[in-house]
Amino acid sequence: MVYAGDLPARSKLRKAFEASKLAVAAGCYGDDNNNLQRVIQEIMEERGIQITSDAVLELSERLGNDRMVSRNEIEKLTLYAGDSGHISTKDVINIVQDNAS
């Protein structure tokens, strides 16, 4: 596996991988705030958990752009919600680390 970071379309390395029959280039894009908020809402809906809009905003600001880390933090919150099925901004602040930095 070769990891090359952000490569523009004109990159020689990217072109070589895209043209190769033995290799593949796969684009991986970091999450932005809108995508994170959508993912948060989807997971909460799947689990039947209510989350305030302020809590969604706070959570999206604490998550970084690594989807796996973000999903793990969101899952941790859903476990915390337990039977109450409700997440507040206070819950987010107490449970989720700031991964954005």
Side-chain angles (χ1 to χ4, degrees):
M1 180 187 303
V2 176
Y3 177 78
D6 294 329
L7 294 177
R10 65 185 182 281
S11 163
K12 290 180 183 180
L13 181 60
R14 181 173 164 182
K15 285 182 181 180
F17 271 72
E18 289 173 344
S20 174
K21 293 183 188 241
L22 300 174
V24 65
C28 299
Y29 306 98
D31 284 321
D32 63 17
N33 208 348
N34 290 332
N35 286 342
L36 283 174
Q37 290 180 12
R38 181 183 47 77
V39 169
I40 293 165
Q41 294 287 6
E42 287 175 359
I43 292 173
M44 295 299 170
E45 286 176 14
E46 288 173 6
R47 307 290 189 282
I49 296 172
Q50 295 178 356
I51 184 168
T52 66
S53 57
D54 289 344
V56 171
L57 182 60
E58 180 68 30
L59 181 54
S60 67
E61 289 175 357
R62 288 175 171 264
L63 299 175
N65 63 359
D66 183 319
R67 178 68 61 95
M68 184 178 295
V69 171
S70 296
R71 281 181 115 20
N72 287 339
E73 290 295 321
I74 296 166
E75 291 294 338
K76 181 169 61 174
L77 252 183
T78 65
L79 291 173
Y80 174 80
D83 294 335
S84 72
H86 182 76
I87 299 290
S88 69
T89 304
K90 183 179 177 184
D91 297 329
V92 171
I93 292 168
N94 289 332
I95 300 300
V96 178
Q97 296 179 12
D98 186 351
N99 294 302
S101 56

Coordinates of all heavy atoms in Angstrom, one line a residue:
M1 N 0.8 -1.2 0.0 CA 0.0 0.0 0.0 C 0.9 1.2 0.0 O 1.9 1.3 0.7 CB -0.9 0.0 1.2 CG -1.8 1.2 1.2 SD -2.8 1.5 2.7 CE -3.7 0.1 2.9
V2 N 0.5 2.2 -0.8 CA 1.2 3.5 -0.9 C 0.2 4.6 -0.5 O -0.9 4.6 -1.0 CB 1.7 3.7 -2.3 CG1 2.4 5.1 -2.4 CG2 2.7 2.7 -2.7
Y3 N 0.6 5.4 0.5 CA -0.2 6.5 0.9 C 0.6 7.8 0.5 O 1.7 8.0 0.8 CB -0.4 6.5 2.4 CG -1.2 7.7 2.9 CD1 -2.5 7.8 2.8 CD2 -0.5 8.8 3.4 CE1 -3.3 8.8 3.2 CE2 -1.2 9.9 3.9 CZ -2.6 9.9 3.7 OH -3.3 11.0 4.1
A4 N -0.1 8.6 -0.3 CA 0.5 9.8 -0.8 C -0.1 11.1 -0.4 O 0.3 12.2 -0.9 CB 0.5 9.7 -2.4
G5 N -1.1 11.1 0.4 CA -1.7 12.3 0.8 C -2.6 12.9 -0.3 O -3.0 12.2 -1.2
D6 N -2.8 14.2 -0.3 CA -3.6 14.9 -1.3 C -2.7 15.1 -2.6 O -1.7 15.8 -2.5 CB -4.0 16.3 -0.8 CG -5.0 16.2 0.4 OD1 -5.7 15.2 0.4 OD2 -5.0 17.1 1.2
L7 N -3.2 14.5 -3.6 CA -2.5 14.6 -4.9 C -3.4 15.3 -5.9 O -4.5 14.8 -6.1 CB -2.1 13.2 -5.4 CG -1.0 12.5 -4.7 CD1 -0.8 11.1 -5.3 CD2 0.3 13.2 -4.6
P8 N -2.9 16.3 -6.6 CA -3.7 16.9 -7.6 C -3.9 16.0 -8.8 O -3.1 15.1 -9.0 CB -2.9 18.2 -8.0 CG -1.5 18.0 -7.5 CD -1.6 17.0 -6.4
A9 N -4.9 16.2 -9.6 CA -5.1 15.4 -10.8 C -3.9 15.3 -11.7 O -3.7 14.4 -12.4 CB -6.3 15.9 -11.5
R10 N -3.1 16.4 -11.7 CA -2.0 16.4 -12.7 C -0.7 15.7 -12.1 O 0.3 15.7 -12.7 CB -1.7 17.9 -13.0 CG -1.2 18.7 -11.9 CD -1.0 20.2 -12.3 NE -0.6 21.0 -11.2 CZ -1.3 21.4 -10.2 NH1 -2.6 21.1 -10.1 NH2 -0.8 22.1 -9.2
S11 N -0.8 15.2 -10.9 CA 0.3 14.5 -10.3 C 0.8 13.3 -11.1 O 0.0 12.5 -11.5 CB 0.0 14.1 -8.8 OG 0.9 13.1 -8.4
K12 N 2.1 13.2 -11.3 CA 2.7 12.1 -12.0 C 2.4 10.8 -11.3 O 2.1 9.8 -12.0 CB 4.2 12.3 -12.3 CG 4.5 13.4 -13.2 CD 6.0 13.6 -13.4 CE 6.2 14.8 -14.4 NZ 7.7 15.0 -14.6
L13 N 2.6 10.8 -10.0 CA 2.3 9.6 -9.2 C 0.9 9.1 -9.4 O 0.6 7.9 -9.6 CB 2.7 9.8 -7.8 CG 2.5 8.6 -6.8 CD1 3.4 7.4 -7.3 CD2 2.9 8.9 -5.4
R14 N 0.0 10.0 -9.2 CA -1.4 9.7 -9.3 C -1.8 9.2 -10.7 O -2.4 8.1 -10.9 CB -2.3 10.9 -9.0 CG -3.8 10.6 -9.1 CD -4.5 11.8 -8.6 NE -5.9 11.8 -9.0 CZ -6.8 12.7 -8.8 NH1 -6.5 13.7 -8.1 NH2 -8.1 12.5 -9.2
K15 N -1.2 9.8 -11.8 CA -1.5 9.4 -13.1 C -0.9 8.0 -13.4 O -1.5 7.2 -14.1 CB -0.9 10.4 -14.1 CG -1.6 11.7 -14.3 CD -1.0 12.6 -15.3 CE -1.8 13.9 -15.4 NZ -1.2 14.8 -16.4
A16 N 0.3 7.7 -12.8 CA 0.9 6.4 -13.0 C 0.0 5.3 -12.4 O -0.2 4.2 -13.0 CB 2.3 6.4 -12.3
F17 N -0.5 5.5 -11.2 CA -1.4 4.5 -10.5 C -2.7 4.4 -11.3 O -3.2 3.3 -11.5 CB -1.7 4.9 -9.1 CG -0.6 4.4 -8.1 CD1 0.6 4.9 -8.1 CD2 -1.0 3.3 -7.3 CE1 1.6 4.4 -7.2 CE2 0.0 2.8 -6.4 CZ 1.3 3.3 -6.4
E18 N -3.3 5.5 -11.7 CA -4.6 5.4 -12.4 C -4.4 4.7 -13.8 O -5.3 4.0 -14.2 CB -5.1 6.8 -12.7 CG -5.6 7.5 -11.4 CD -6.0 8.9 -11.5 OE1 -5.6 9.6 -12.5 OE2 -6.7 9.4 -10.6
A19 N -3.3 4.8 -14.4 CA -3.0 4.2 -15.7 C -2.6 2.7 -15.6 O -2.7 1.9 -16.5 CB -2.0 5.0 -16.5
S20 N -2.1 2.3 -14.4 CA -1.6 1.0 -14.2 C -2.7 -0.1 -14.2 O -3.8 0.1 -13.7 CB -0.8 0.9 -12.9 OG -0.4 -0.4 -12.7
K21 N -2.4 -1.3 -14.7 CA -3.3 -2.4 -14.7 C -3.0 -3.2 -13.4 O -3.8 -4.1 -13.0 CB -3.1 -3.3 -15.9 CG -3.6 -2.6 -17.1 CD -3.5 -3.6 -18.3 CE -3.8 -2.8 -19.6 NZ -4.9 -3.3 -20.3
L22 N -1.9 -2.9 -12.7 CA -1.6 -3.6 -11.5 C -1.8 -2.8 -10.2 O -1.5 -3.3 -9.1 CB -0.1 -4.0 -11.6 CG 0.3 -5.0 -12.7 CD1 1.8 -5.2 -12.8 CD2 -0.5 -6.3 -12.6
A23 N -2.2 -1.6 -10.3 CA -2.3 -0.7 -9.2 C -3.7 0.0 -9.3 O -4.3 0.0 -10.3 CB -1.2 0.3 -9.1
V24 N -4.0 0.7 -8.2 CA -5.3 1.4 -8.2 C -5.1 2.7 -7.3 O -4.3 2.7 -6.4 CB -6.5 0.6 -7.7 CG1 -6.3 0.2 -6.2 CG2 -7.8 1.3 -7.9
A25 N -5.7 3.7 -7.7 CA -5.7 5.0 -6.9 C -7.1 5.1 -6.3 O -8.1 5.1 -7.0 CB -5.3 6.2 -7.8
A26 N -7.1 5.3 -5.0 CA -8.4 5.5 -4.3 C -8.4 6.8 -3.6 O -7.5 7.0 -2.8 CB -8.6 4.3 -3.4
G27 N -9.4 7.6 -3.9 CA -9.5 8.9 -3.3 C -10.1 8.8 -1.9 O -11.2 8.1 -1.8
C28 N -9.6 9.4 -0.9 CA -10.1 9.4 0.4 C -10.2 10.8 0.8 O -9.3 11.5 0.9 CB -9.2 8.6 1.4 SG -9.0 6.9 1.0
Y29 N -11.5 11.2 1.1 CA -11.7 12.6 1.4 C -12.1 12.8 2.9 O -12.9 12.0 3.4 CB -12.8 13.2 0.5 CG -12.4 12.9 -1.0 CD1 -13.0 11.8 -1.7 CD2 -11.6 13.8 -1.6 CE1 -12.6 11.6 -3.0 CE2 -11.2 13.5 -2.9 CZ -11.7 12.4 -3.6 OH -11.4 12.2 -4.9
G30 N -11.5 13.8 3.5 CA -11.9 14.1 4.9 C -13.3 14.6 5.0 O -13.8 15.2 4.1
D31 N -13.9 14.5 6.2 CA -15.2 15.0 6.5 C -15.2 16.5 6.7 O -14.3 17.0 7.4 CB -15.8 14.3 7.7 CG -16.3 12.9 7.4 OD1 -16.8 12.6 6.3 OD2 -16.1 12.0 8.3
D32 N -16.2 17.2 6.2 CA -16.3 18.5 6.6 C -17.5 18.6 7.6 O -18.1 17.6 7.9 CB -16.6 19.5 5.4 CG -17.9 19.1 4.6 OD1 -18.7 18.4 5.2 OD2 -18.0 19.6 3.5
N33 N -17.8 19.8 8.1 CA -18.8 19.9 9.2 C -20.2 19.5 8.7 O -20.9 18.8 9.5 CB -18.8 21.4 9.6 CG -19.3 21.5 11.0 OD1 -19.7 20.6 11.7 ND2 -19.1 22.7 11.6
N34 N -20.6 19.7 7.5 CA -21.9 19.3 7.0 C -22.0 17.8 6.9 O -23.0 17.2 7.3 CB -22.2 19.9 5.6 CG -22.4 21.4 5.7 OD1 -22.9 21.9 6.7 ND2 -22.1 22.1 4.6
N35 N -20.9 17.1 6.4 CA -20.9 15.7 6.4 C -21.0 15.1 7.8 O -21.7 14.1 8.0 CB -19.7 15.1 5.7 CG -19.7 15.4 4.2 OD1 -20.7 15.6 3.6 ND2 -18.5 15.3 3.6
L36 N -20.2 15.7 8.7 CA -20.2 15.1 10.1 C -21.6 15.3 10.7 O -22.1 14.3 11.3 CB -19.2 15.9 10.9 CG -17.8 15.5 10.8 CD1 -16.9 16.5 11.6 CD2 -17.5 14.1 11.2
Q37 N -22.3 16.4 10.5 CA -23.6 16.5 11.1 C -24.6 15.5 10.5 O -25.4 15.0 11.2 CB -24.1 18.0 10.9 CG -23.3 19.0 11.7 CD -23.8 20.4 11.6 OE1 -24.8 20.7 11.0 NE2 -23.0 21.3 12.1
R38 N -24.4 15.2 9.2 CA -25.3 14.3 8.6 C -25.0 12.9 9.1 O -26.0 12.1 9.5 CB -25.1 14.3 7.0 CG -26.0 13.3 6.3 CD -25.6 13.3 4.8 NE -24.2 13.2 4.5 CZ -23.5 12.1 4.5 NH1 -24.1 10.9 4.9 NH2 -22.2 12.1 4.2
V39 N -23.8 12.5 9.3 CA -23.4 11.2 9.9 C -23.9 11.1 11.3 O -24.5 10.1 11.7 CB -21.9 11.0 9.9 CG1 -21.5 9.8 10.7 CG2 -21.4 10.9 8.4
I40 N -23.8 12.2 12.1 CA -24.3 12.2 13.5 C -25.8 11.9 13.5 O -26.3 11.0 14.2 CB -24.0 13.5 14.2 CG1 -22.5 13.7 14.4 CG2 -24.7 13.6 15.5 CD1 -22.0 15.1 14.7
Q41 N -26.5 12.6 12.7 CA -28.0 12.5 12.6 C -28.4 11.1 12.2 O -29.3 10.5 12.8 CB -28.6 13.5 11.7 CG -28.5 14.9 12.1 CD -29.4 15.3 13.3 OE1 -30.1 14.4 13.9 NE2 -29.4 16.5 13.7
E42 N -27.7 10.5 11.2 CA -28.0 9.2 10.7 C -27.8 8.1 11.8 O -28.7 7.3 12.0 CB -27.2 8.8 9.5 CG -27.6 9.6 8.2 CD -26.6 9.3 7.1 OE1 -25.6 8.6 7.2 OE2 -26.9 9.9 6.0
I43 N -26.7 8.2 12.5 CA -26.4 7.2 13.5 C -27.4 7.3 14.7 O -27.9 6.3 15.2 CB -25.0 7.3 14.0 CG1 -24.0 6.9 12.9 CG2 -24.7 6.5 15.3 CD1 -22.5 7.2 13.2
M44 N -27.7 8.6 15.1 CA -28.7 8.8 16.2 C -30.1 8.2 15.8 O -30.7 7.6 16.6 CB -28.7 10.2 16.6 CG -27.4 10.7 17.2 SD -27.0 9.8 18.7 CE -25.3 10.5 18.9
E45 N -30.5 8.5 14.5 CA -31.8 8.0 14.1 C -31.8 6.5 14.1 O -32.8 5.9 14.5 CB -32.1 8.6 12.7 CG -32.5 10.0 12.7 CD -32.7 10.6 11.3 OE1 -32.8 9.9 10.3 OE2 -32.7 11.9 11.2
E46 N -30.7 5.9 13.6 CA -30.6 4.4 13.6 C -30.8 3.8 15.0 O -31.4 2.7 15.1 CB -29.3 4.0 13.0 CG -29.1 4.2 11.5 CD -27.7 3.8 11.0 OE1 -26.9 3.4 11.8 OE2 -27.4 4.1 9.8
R47 N -30.3 4.5 16.0 CA -30.3 4.0 17.3 C -31.5 4.5 18.1 O -31.7 4.1 19.3 CB -29.1 4.4 18.1 CG -27.7 4.1 17.5 CD -27.4 2.6 17.5 NE -26.1 2.3 17.1 CZ -25.6 2.3 15.9 NH1 -26.4 2.6 14.9 NH2 -24.4 2.0 15.6
G48 N -32.3 5.3 17.5 CA -33.5 5.8 18.2 C -33.2 6.8 19.3 O -33.9 6.9 20.3
I49 N -32.1 7.5 19.1 CA -31.6 8.5 20.2 C -31.9 9.9 19.7 O -31.6 10.2 18.6 CB -30.1 8.3 20.4 CG1 -29.9 6.9 21.0 CG2 -29.6 9.3 21.4 CD1 -28.5 6.5 21.2
Q50 N -32.5 10.7 20.6 CA -32.7 12.1 20.3 C -31.5 12.9 20.7 O -30.9 12.6 21.8 CB -33.9 12.6 21.1 CG -35.2 11.9 20.6 CD -36.4 12.4 21.5 OE1 -36.2 13.2 22.4 NE2 -37.6 12.0 21.1
I51 N -31.1 13.8 19.9 CA -29.9 14.7 20.1 C -30.3 16.1 19.8 O -30.9 16.4 18.7 CB -28.7 14.2 19.4 CG1 -27.5 15.1 19.8 CG2 -28.9 14.2 17.9 CD1 -26.1 14.5 19.3
T52 N -30.0 17.0 20.7 CA -30.4 18.4 20.4 C -29.6 19.0 19.3 O -28.4 18.5 19.0 CB -30.2 19.3 21.7 OG1 -28.8 19.3 22.0 CG2 -31.0 18.8 22.9
S53 N -30.1 20.0 18.6 CA -29.3 20.6 17.5 C -28.0 21.3 18.0 O -27.0 21.2 17.4 CB -30.2 21.6 16.8 OG -30.6 22.6 17.7
D54 N -28.1 21.8 19.3 CA -26.8 22.4 19.9 C -25.8 21.3 20.1 O -24.6 21.5 19.9 CB -27.1 23.1 21.2 CG -27.9 24.4 21.0 OD1 -27.9 24.9 19.8 OD2 -28.5 24.9 21.9
A55 N -26.3 20.1 20.5 CA -25.4 19.0 20.8 C -24.8 18.5 19.5 O -23.6 18.1 19.4 CB -26.1 17.8 21.5
V56 N -25.5 18.5 18.4 CA -25.0 18.1 17.1 C -23.9 19.0 16.7 O -22.8 18.6 16.2 CB -26.1 18.0 16.0 CG1 -25.5 17.8 14.6 CG2 -27.1 16.9 16.3
L57 N -24.1 20.3 16.9 CA -23.1 21.3 16.5 C -21.9 21.1 17.3 O -20.8 21.1 16.8 CB -23.7 22.7 16.7 CG -22.8 23.9 16.3 CD1 -22.4 23.8 14.8 CD2 -23.5 25.2 16.6
E58 N -22.0 21.0 18.6 CA -20.9 20.8 19.5 C -20.1 19.6 19.2 O -18.9 19.6 19.1 CB -21.3 20.7 21.0 CG -20.2 20.5 22.0 CD -19.3 21.7 22.1 OE1 -19.8 22.9 21.9 OE2 -18.1 21.5 22.5
L59 N -20.8 18.5 18.9 CA -20.2 17.2 18.5 C -19.4 17.3 17.2 O -18.3 16.9 17.1 CB -21.2 16.1 18.5 CG -20.7 14.7 18.1 CD1 -19.6 14.3 19.1 CD2 -21.9 13.7 18.1
S60 N -20.0 18.0 16.2 CA -19.4 18.1 14.9 C -18.1 19.0 15.0 O -17.2 18.8 14.3 CB -20.3 18.6 13.9 OG -20.7 20.0 14.2
E61 N -18.1 19.9 16.0 CA -16.9 20.8 16.2 C -15.8 20.0 16.9 O -14.6 20.4 16.8 CB -17.3 22.0 16.9 CG -18.1 23.0 16.1 CD -18.6 24.2 16.8 OE1 -18.4 24.3 18.1 OE2 -19.3 25.0 16.2
R62 N -16.2 19.0 17.7 CA -15.2 18.2 18.4 C -14.6 17.1 17.6 O -13.5 16.6 17.9 CB -15.8 17.7 19.7 CG -16.1 18.7 20.7 CD -16.8 18.1 21.9 NE -16.9 19.1 23.0 CZ -16.0 19.1 24.0 NH1 -15.0 18.2 24.1 NH2 -16.1 20.1 24.9
L63 N -15.2 16.7 16.6 CA -14.8 15.6 15.7 C -13.8 16.1 14.7 O -13.9 17.2 14.2 CB -15.9 14.8 15.1 CG -17.0 14.2 16.0 CD1 -18.1 13.7 15.3 CD2 -16.3 13.2 16.9
G64 N -12.8 15.3 14.3 CA -11.9 15.6 13.3 C -12.4 15.2 11.9 O -13.6 15.0 11.7
N65 N -11.5 15.0 11.0 CA -11.9 14.6 9.7 C -11.7 13.1 9.4 O -11.7 12.7 8.2 CB -11.3 15.5 8.6 CG -9.8 15.3 8.5 OD1 -9.2 14.6 9.3 ND2 -9.1 16.1 7.7
D66 N -11.4 12.3 10.4 CA -11.2 10.9 10.2 C -12.5 10.2 10.6 O -12.9 10.2 11.7 CB -10.1 10.4 11.2 CG -9.7 8.9 11.0 OD1 -10.7 8.1 10.9 OD2 -8.5 8.6 11.1
R67 N -13.1 9.6 9.5 CA -14.4 9.0 9.7 C -14.5 7.9 10.7 O -15.4 7.8 11.5 CB -14.9 8.5 8.3 CG -16.3 7.8 8.3 CD -17.5 8.7 8.6 NE -17.6 9.8 7.7 CZ -18.4 9.8 6.6 NH1 -19.1 8.7 6.3 NH2 -18.5 10.8 5.8
M68 N -13.4 7.1 10.8 CA -13.5 6.0 11.8 C -13.4 6.5 13.2 O -14.2 6.1 14.1 CB -12.3 5.0 11.5 CG -12.3 3.8 12.5 SD -11.0 2.6 12.2 CE -11.4 2.1 10.5
V69 N -12.6 7.5 13.5 CA -12.5 8.1 14.8 C -13.8 8.7 15.1 O -14.3 8.6 16.3 CB -11.3 9.1 14.9 CG1 -11.3 9.9 16.2 CG2 -10.0 8.4 14.7
S70 N -14.4 9.5 14.2 CA -15.6 10.1 14.4 C -16.7 9.1 14.8 O -17.5 9.3 15.7 CB -16.1 11.0 13.2 OG -15.1 12.0 13.0
R71 N -16.8 8.1 14.0 CA -17.9 7.0 14.2 C -17.7 6.4 15.6 O -18.6 6.1 16.3 CB -17.8 6.0 13.2 CG -18.5 6.4 11.9 CD -18.5 5.3 10.8 NE -19.7 4.7 10.4 CZ -21.0 5.1 10.4 NH1 -21.3 6.1 11.0 NH2 -21.9 4.4 9.9
N72 N -16.4 6.2 16.0 CA -16.2 5.6 17.3 C -16.6 6.5 18.4 O -17.2 6.1 19.4 CB -14.7 5.3 17.5 CG -14.3 4.1 16.7 OD1 -15.1 3.2 16.4 ND2 -13.0 4.0 16.5
E73 N -16.4 7.8 18.3 CA -16.8 8.8 19.3 C -18.4 8.9 19.3 O -19.0 9.0 20.4 CB -16.2 10.2 19.0 CG -14.7 10.3 19.3 CD -14.3 10.1 20.7 OE1 -15.1 10.5 21.6 OE2 -13.3 9.4 21.0
I74 N -19.0 8.9 18.2 CA -20.4 8.9 18.1 C -21.0 7.7 18.7 O -22.0 7.7 19.5 CB -20.9 9.1 16.6 CG1 -20.5 10.4 16.1 CG2 -22.4 9.0 16.6 CD1 -20.6 10.6 14.6
E75 N -20.4 6.5 18.4 CA -20.9 5.2 19.0 C -20.8 5.3 20.6 O -21.6 4.8 21.3 CB -20.2 4.0 18.5 CG -20.5 3.7 17.0 CD -21.9 3.3 16.8 OE1 -22.6 2.8 17.7 OE2 -22.4 3.4 15.7
K76 N -19.7 5.8 21.0 CA -19.5 6.0 22.5 C -20.6 6.8 23.1 O -21.1 6.4 24.1 CB -18.1 6.6 22.7 CG -17.8 6.8 24.2 CD -16.3 7.2 24.4 CE -16.0 8.5 23.8 NZ -14.6 9.0 24.2
L77 N -21.0 7.9 22.4 CA -22.1 8.7 22.9 C -23.4 7.9 22.9 O -24.2 8.1 23.8 CB -22.3 9.9 22.0 CG -21.9 11.2 22.5 CD1 -22.2 12.3 21.5 CD2 -22.4 11.6 23.9
T78 N -23.6 7.1 21.9 CA -24.9 6.3 21.9 C -25.0 5.3 23.0 O -26.0 5.1 23.6 CB -25.1 5.6 20.5 OG1 -24.1 4.6 20.3 CG2 -25.1 6.6 19.4
L79 N -23.8 4.7 23.4 CA -23.8 3.8 24.5 C -24.0 4.6 25.8 O -24.7 4.1 26.7 CB -22.4 3.1 24.6 CG -22.1 2.1 23.5 CD1 -20.6 1.7 23.6 CD2 -23.0 1.0 23.6
Y80 N -23.5 5.8 25.9 CA -23.8 6.6 27.1 C -25.2 7.0 27.2 O -25.8 7.0 28.3 CB -22.9 7.9 27.0 CG -23.2 8.9 28.1 CD1 -22.6 8.7 29.3 CD2 -24.0 10.0 27.9 CE1 -22.9 9.6 30.4 CE2 -24.3 10.9 28.9 CZ -23.7 10.7 30.1 OH -24.0 11.6 31.1
A81 N -25.9 7.2 26.1 CA -27.3 7.6 26.1 C -28.1 6.5 26.7 O -29.1 6.7 27.4 CB -27.8 7.9 24.7
G82 N -27.7 5.2 26.4 CA -28.4 4.1 27.0 C -29.9 4.1 26.9 O -30.4 4.4 25.8
D83 N -30.6 3.8 28.0 CA -32.1 3.7 27.9 C -32.8 5.1 27.8 O -33.9 5.1 27.4 CB -32.6 3.0 29.2 CG -32.1 1.5 29.2 OD1 -31.9 1.0 28.1 OD2 -32.1 1.0 30.3
S84 N -32.1 6.1 28.2 CA -32.7 7.4 28.2 C -32.9 7.9 26.7 O -33.9 8.6 26.4 CB -31.9 8.5 28.9 OG -30.7 8.8 28.2
G85 N -32.0 7.5 25.8 CA -32.1 7.8 24.4 C -32.1 9.3 24.1 O -32.7 9.7 23.2
H86 N -31.4 10.1 24.9 CA -31.3 11.5 24.7 C -29.9 12.0 25.0 O -29.2 11.6 25.9 CB -32.2 12.2 25.7 CG -32.2 13.7 25.4 ND1 -32.9 14.3 24.4 CD2 -31.7 14.7 26.2 CE1 -32.7 15.6 24.5 NE2 -32.0 15.9 25.5
I87 N -29.4 12.8 24.1 CA -28.0 13.4 24.2 C -28.1 14.9 24.2 O -28.8 15.5 23.3 CB -27.1 13.0 23.0 CG1 -26.9 11.5 22.9 CG2 -25.8 13.7 23.1 CD1 -26.1 10.9 24.0
S88 N -27.5 15.5 25.2 CA -27.5 17.0 25.3 C -26.1 17.5 25.0 O -25.1 16.8 24.9 CB -27.9 17.4 26.7 OG -26.9 17.0 27.7
T89 N -26.0 18.8 24.9 CA -24.7 19.4 24.7 C -23.8 19.1 25.9 O -22.6 18.8 25.7 CB -24.8 21.0 24.6 OG1 -25.7 21.2 23.5 CG2 -23.5 21.6 24.3
K90 N -24.3 19.1 27.1 CA -23.5 18.8 28.3 C -23.0 17.4 28.2 O -21.8 17.1 28.6 CB -24.4 18.9 29.6 CG -23.6 18.6 30.8 CD -24.6 18.8 32.1 CE -23.8 18.5 33.3 NZ -24.7 18.6 34.5
D91 N -23.7 16.4 27.7 CA -23.3 15.1 27.5 C -22.1 15.0 26.5 O -21.1 14.3 26.8 CB -24.4 14.2 27.0 CG -25.6 14.0 27.9 OD1 -25.3 14.1 29.2 OD2 -26.7 13.9 27.4
V92 N -22.2 15.7 25.4 CA -21.1 15.8 24.4 C -19.9 16.3 25.1 O -18.8 15.7 24.9 CB -21.5 16.6 23.2 CG1 -20.4 16.8 22.3 CG2 -22.7 16.0 22.5
I93 N -20.0 17.4 25.8 CA -18.8 18.0 26.4 C -18.2 17.1 27.4 O -16.9 17.0 27.5 CB -19.2 19.4 27.1 CG1 -19.6 20.4 26.0 CG2 -18.1 19.9 28.0 CD1 -20.2 21.6 26.6
N94 N -19.0 16.3 28.2 CA -18.4 15.4 29.2 C -17.9 14.1 28.6 O -17.0 13.5 29.2 CB -19.5 15.1 30.2 CG -19.9 16.2 31.1 OD1 -19.0 17.1 31.4 ND2 -21.1 16.3 31.6
I95 N -18.3 13.7 27.5 CA -18.0 12.4 27.0 C -17.0 12.4 25.8 O -16.1 11.5 25.7 CB -19.3 11.6 26.5 CG1 -20.3 11.5 27.6 CG2 -18.9 10.3 25.9 CD1 -19.7 10.7 28.8
V96 N -17.1 13.3 24.9 CA -16.3 13.3 23.7 C -15.1 14.2 23.8 O -15.2 15.4 24.1 CB -17.2 13.8 22.5 CG1 -16.4 13.8 21.2 CG2 -18.4 12.8 22.3
Q97 N -14.0 13.6 23.5 CA -12.7 14.4 23.4 C -12.7 15.3 22.2 O -13.4 15.1 21.2 CB -11.5 13.5 23.3 CG -11.3 12.6 24.5 CD -10.1 11.7 24.4 OE1 -9.3 11.9 23.5 NE2 -10.0 10.7 25.2
D98 N -11.9 16.4 22.3 CA -11.8 17.3 21.1 C -10.7 16.7 20.2 O -9.6 16.7 20.4 CB -11.3 18.7 21.6 CG -11.3 19.7 20.5 OD1 -11.4 19.3 19.3 OD2 -11.1 20.9 20.7
N99 N -11.2 16.1 19.1 CA -10.4 15.4 18.1 C -10.2 16.4 16.9 O -9.4 16.0 16.0 CB -11.0 14.1 17.6 CG -11.1 13.1 18.7 OD1 -10.1 12.8 19.3 ND2 -12.3 12.7 19.1
A100 N -10.7 17.5 16.9 CA -10.6 18.4 15.7 C -9.2 18.9 15.5 O -8.8 19.2 14.4 CB -11.6 19.6 15.8
S101 N -8.5 19.1 16.6 CA -7.2 19.6 16.5 C -6.2 18.5 16.2 O -5.3 18.6 15.6 CB -6.7 20.3 17.8 OG -6.9 19.5 18.9

